[in-house]
Amino acid sequence: MLFFTQCFGAVLDLIHLRFQHYKAKRVFSAAGQLVCVVNPTHSLKYAPTRCAAVQASAEQGVLPPCHHHEAVHDPQLAPCTCPLFSCPWEGHLEVVVSHLRQTHRINILQGAEIVFLATDMHLPAPTDWIIMHSCLGHQFLLVLRKQEKYEGHPQFFATMMLIGTPTQADNFTYRLELNRNQRRLKWEATPRSILECVDSVISDGDCLVLNTSLAQLFSDNGSLAIGIAITTSKVHSSEAEM
């Protein structure tokens, strides 16, 4: 009976996963779109990354102490963005993708348009959903974070970061789209370089921001489907329309 119960539970999980794929594909009906189910990375202990600590010090008007035996920080080093609350790794742009794939097992999808299906939206903050998106000869990182910007009021922040320089990022435009129950929400902007640090992007609010009630309006059984499209563009705009 125990063996039967375990097998039956595994079959139900598989059916549920396939059902999530089906529903996402039904909502985003464009031909050729890929659907990726992304599980959350949840952390109970907040340990700010190096860029977050430097940003906090700058906001308080206090610079971090400088010691003669410490090396000068290389501005071309990118901090690890997965998980955002615990990994102290830093590296050059050429090795960011291999670090994310080998160390954190981050999935990577190829194609101009994909669907990002984040599960377990009910988990307490801080929680992250992360995936890599390869298209147009470059790699992008989509970060969806649930965070309490104000105590007791969690919000969802979604942004696209280019694994490249700020100059390269200016050549692209990304679009995030939520579509459910005859409602549609779009955010379009220029991606930021991963060298600029995702923490500062979220703090500035230069991304798609959803409060809890709005996220629930577009979620389906605890999952949130976000359509992602990336194009090359020289003229950029940032807008959110509903």
Side-chain angles (χ1 to χ4, degrees):
M1 288 295 294
L2 180 61
F3 177 76
F4 174 77
T5 302
Q6 291 176 339
C7 290
F8 185 67
V11 171
L12 286 180
D13 291 340
L14 180 60
I15 293 174
H16 178 65
L17 184 63
R18 295 289 296 178
F19 185 58
Q20 286 181 319
H21 275 275
Y22 169 75
K23 288 193 295 184
K25 288 181 179 179
R26 184 183 59 187
V27 173
F28 296 88
S29 57
Q33 280 188 311
L34 298 175
V35 179
C36 183
V37 178
V38 184
N39 295 320
T41 299
H42 182 61
S43 176
L44 296 177
K45 295 182 179 180
Y46 180 79
T49 57
R50 178 193 296 268
C51 57
V54 171
Q55 180 186 3
S57 299
E59 291 175 351
Q60 297 173 4
V62 179
L63 295 177
C66 178
H67 302 285
H68 295 292
H69 64 274
E70 291 184 354
V72 177
H73 178 65
D74 187 345
Q76 294 301 313
L77 288 178
C80 177
T81 53
C82 175
L84 294 171
F85 302 105
S86 60
C87 184
W89 181 91
E90 284 186 326
H92 288 281
L93 292 173
E94 315 79 78
V95 295
V96 170
V97 173
S98 60
H99 169 75
L100 293 175
R101 297 201 68 181
Q102 296 174 10
T103 303
H104 300 294
R105 308 298 180 186
I106 298 300
N107 291 326
I108 183 168
L109 290 183
Q110 297 192 11
E113 297 186 10
I114 64 174
V115 176
F116 177 96
L117 187 62
T119 66
D120 300 323
M121 302 295 294
H122 61 278
L123 288 178
T127 305
D128 305 311
W129 295 260
I130 302 177
I131 191 176
M132 283 190 289
H133 184 187
S134 177
C135 72
L136 302 175
H138 289 78
Q139 283 74 43
F140 300 83
L141 193 71
L142 177 70
V143 178
L144 173 64
R145 178 187 293 185
K146 184 178 183 180
Q147 177 176 306
E148 287 189 357
K149 198 166 185 179
Y150 305 101
E151 186 175 358
H153 298 280
Q155 293 177 301
F156 292 89
F157 303 85
T159 187
M160 182 73 76
M161 310 289 290
L162 172 71
I163 303 179
T165 65
T167 302
Q168 292 173 322
D170 287 339
N171 296 322
F172 299 96
T173 298
Y174 76 94
R175 185 180 73 247
L176 304 180
E177 180 178 335
L178 291 84
N179 190 342
R180 184 171 183 267
N181 291 338
Q182 298 181 341
R183 296 177 177 86
R184 179 174 297 178
L185 177 66
K186 291 183 180 180
W187 166 268
E188 185 172 299
T190 302
R192 303 281 285 272
S193 167
I194 199 172
L195 294 173
E196 299 181 54
C197 186
V198 68
D199 293 329
S200 62
V201 176
I202 291 177
S203 298
D204 295 341
D206 186 16
C207 56
L208 175 63
V209 182
L210 305 172
N211 58 30
T212 304
S213 59
L214 193 57
Q216 290 177 348
L217 187 64
F218 285 97
S219 65
D220 185 8
N221 195 27
S223 297
L224 186 67
I226 304 176
I228 308 169
I230 300 178
T231 58
T232 56
S233 177
K234 294 297 182 181
V235 181
H236 309 290
S237 63
S238 179
E239 62 178 2
E241 63 183 32
M242 193 169 186

